[in-house]
């Protein structure tokens, strides 16, 4: 089984409840990679017997640090309409025998219908093909970046934190699961969080950071994800503002045939 499939392998515990655990292959410097937590929360609704349609939006709020170990999930469809469904999902842990919510999520699922379609976002032009761009070295990094094949065209993770502040934090890179795995909604949710904190790219200085809130909008349907398969997708990320201990970062994920798969936005705490 692929490590990512192991990470999102949830068991039915009771009505609306699932159990899972963090996975060592997606460990971060402290606790797990937030993208896998987001994918686990989404997977609860994906596996639920009452699910309608496919995800169009997911917002994850990290209420407390997620500890290594078991996680109990509660997923409830709070409203189902003709073609849309709204979810509230929670992740619970019991460190030191104290029960607590470590993350919450809201999700919107929908039955997609054929309509007029267009895109105003613009995929970067003249980007070298992924096979011509070297993979980012991952030796000495936490476990989770080793689970992604990242090939930076621009704005790579600093090789040295020399505190040489850059003019911007923009990154452009090809990315896919490592080992390669066919793209689906859960892995797309995780990849949406795979952009390194923009403050590291901008300031090239170590700082304590933590994602507070992460939202992903799924523009692709199941058929488009099937077309992508195991190919690299193009990620573009940048920050908009740093102020008073928080910064945001926004990202886009594109297929190689120039289809916008997802857009994402998150708010990150940093200690200066």
């Amino acid at each position: 089984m692929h490590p990512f499939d192991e990470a999102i392998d949830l068991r039915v515990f009771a009505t609306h409840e699932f159990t899972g655990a963090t996975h060592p292959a997606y460990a971060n410097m402290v606790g797990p990679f937030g993208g896998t937590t987001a994918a686990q929360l989404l997977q609860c609704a994906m596996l639920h017997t009452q699910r309608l349609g496919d995800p169009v939006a997911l917002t994850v709020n990290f209420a407390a640090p997620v500890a290594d170990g078991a996680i109990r999930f509660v997923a409830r469809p709070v409203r189902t309409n003709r073609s849309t469904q709204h979810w509230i999902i929670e992740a619970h842990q019991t460190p030191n025998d104290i029960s607590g919510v470590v993350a919450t999520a809201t999700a919107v699922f929908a039955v997609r219908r054929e309509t007029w379609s267009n895109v105003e976002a613009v995929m970067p032009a003249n980007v070298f093909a992924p096979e011509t761009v070297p993979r980012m070295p991952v030796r000495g990094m936490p476990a989770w970046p080793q689970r992604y094949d990242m090939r930076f065209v621009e704005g790579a993770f600093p090789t040295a934190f020399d505190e040489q502040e850059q003019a911007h934090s923009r990154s452009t890179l090809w990315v896919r699961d490592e080992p390669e795995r066919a793209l689906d909604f859960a892995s797309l949710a995780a990849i949406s969080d795979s952009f390194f904190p923009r403050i590291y790219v901008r300031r090239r200085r170590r700082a304590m950071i933590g994602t507070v809130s992460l939202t992903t909008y799924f523009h692709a349907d199941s058929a488009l994800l099937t077309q992508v398969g195991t190919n690299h997708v193009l990620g573009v990320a940048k920050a908009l503002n740093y102020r008073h201990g928080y910064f945001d970062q926004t990202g886009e994920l594109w297929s190689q045939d120039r289809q916008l798969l997802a857009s994402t936005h998150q708010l990150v705490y940093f200690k200066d």
Side-chain angles (χ1 to χ4, degrees):
M1 185 182 291
H2 193 283
F4 185 76
D5 291 302
E6 293 177 349
I8 62 170
D9 185 21
L10 307 180
R11 305 296 187 208
V12 177
F13 178 71
T15 303
H16 305 310
E17 294 190 26
F18 300 82
T19 58
T22 59
H23 195 291
Y26 292 91
N28 205 344
M29 291 180 290
V30 177
F33 166 50
T36 53
T37 303
Q40 288 172 325
L41 289 158
L42 181 66
Q43 189 72 349
C44 292
M46 294 293 296
L47 295 174
H48 203 290
T49 57
Q50 296 178 24
R51 173 172 71 93
L52 174 73
D54 289 330
V56 295
L58 172 71
T59 295
V60 177
N61 295 317
F62 294 91
V66 179
D68 293 328
I71 309 174
R72 180 173 63 90
F73 298 94
V74 179
R76 303 184 307 276
V78 294
R79 173 137 188 162
T80 301
N81 302 315
R82 287 183 58 189
S83 60
T84 60
Q85 188 175 56
H86 299 260
W87 290 81
I88 293 178
I89 312 164
E90 300 171 350
H92 296 252
Q93 286 190 306
T94 55
N96 302 319
D97 297 323
I98 300 174
S99 179
V101 173
V102 293
T104 65
T106 58
V108 180
F109 280 61
V111 176
R112 295 179 181 268
R113 293 185 169 86
E114 288 297 325
T115 64
W116 175 85
S117 299
N118 206 310
V119 59
E120 293 191 14
V122 179
M123 180 178 174
N126 303 318
V127 175
F128 292 112
E131 59 271 16
T132 68
V133 181
R135 183 183 174 189
M136 180 189 74
V138 293
R139 184 177 180 180
M141 301 190 75
W144 79 263
Q146 301 178 44
R147 297 281 65 81
Y148 291 100
D149 179 345
M150 298 183 182
R151 300 167 181 256
F152 281 88
V153 177
E154 170 188 31
F157 186 79
T159 56
F161 286 92
D162 54 15
E163 301 193 11
Q164 298 299 307
E165 186 167 320
Q166 306 299 297
H168 62 78
S169 65
R170 186 173 59 253
S171 291
T172 304
L173 72 152
W174 293 106
V175 58
R176 70 177 175 189
D177 285 291
E178 175 62 38
E180 63 184 57
R181 177 187 181 276
L183 192 66
D184 58 19
F185 288 111
S187 59
L188 184 57
I191 290 175
S192 293
D193 191 39
S194 67
F195 300 111
F196 291 110
R198 298 295 88 197
I199 198 167
Y200 289 172
V201 177
R202 175 69 187 271
R203 301 191 74 191
R204 296 173 66 144
R205 176 181 179 183
R206 294 189 186 277
M208 290 181 59
I209 62 95
T211 299
V212 176
S213 184
L214 166 66
T215 295
T216 299
Y217 299 113
F218 302 96
H219 305 297
D221 58 13
S222 298
L224 180 53
L225 295 184
T226 298
Q227 292 176 23
V228 174
T230 60
N231 290 327
H232 287 86
V233 298
L234 186 72
V236 183
K238 65 179 181 181
L240 300 180
N241 189 69
Y242 310 83
R243 183 172 295 153
H244 299 156
Y246 294 90
F247 68 90
D248 67 338
Q249 56 188 53
T250 184
E252 302 164 4
L253 291 166
W254 296 82
S255 69
Q256 293 187 33
D257 60 357
R258 310 187 74 79
Q259 295 293 316
L260 184 60
L261 304 174
S263 55
T264 182
H265 208 89
Q266 66 176 275
L267 184 70
V268 184
Y269 161 83
F270 72 95
K271 185 175 182 180
D272 198 4

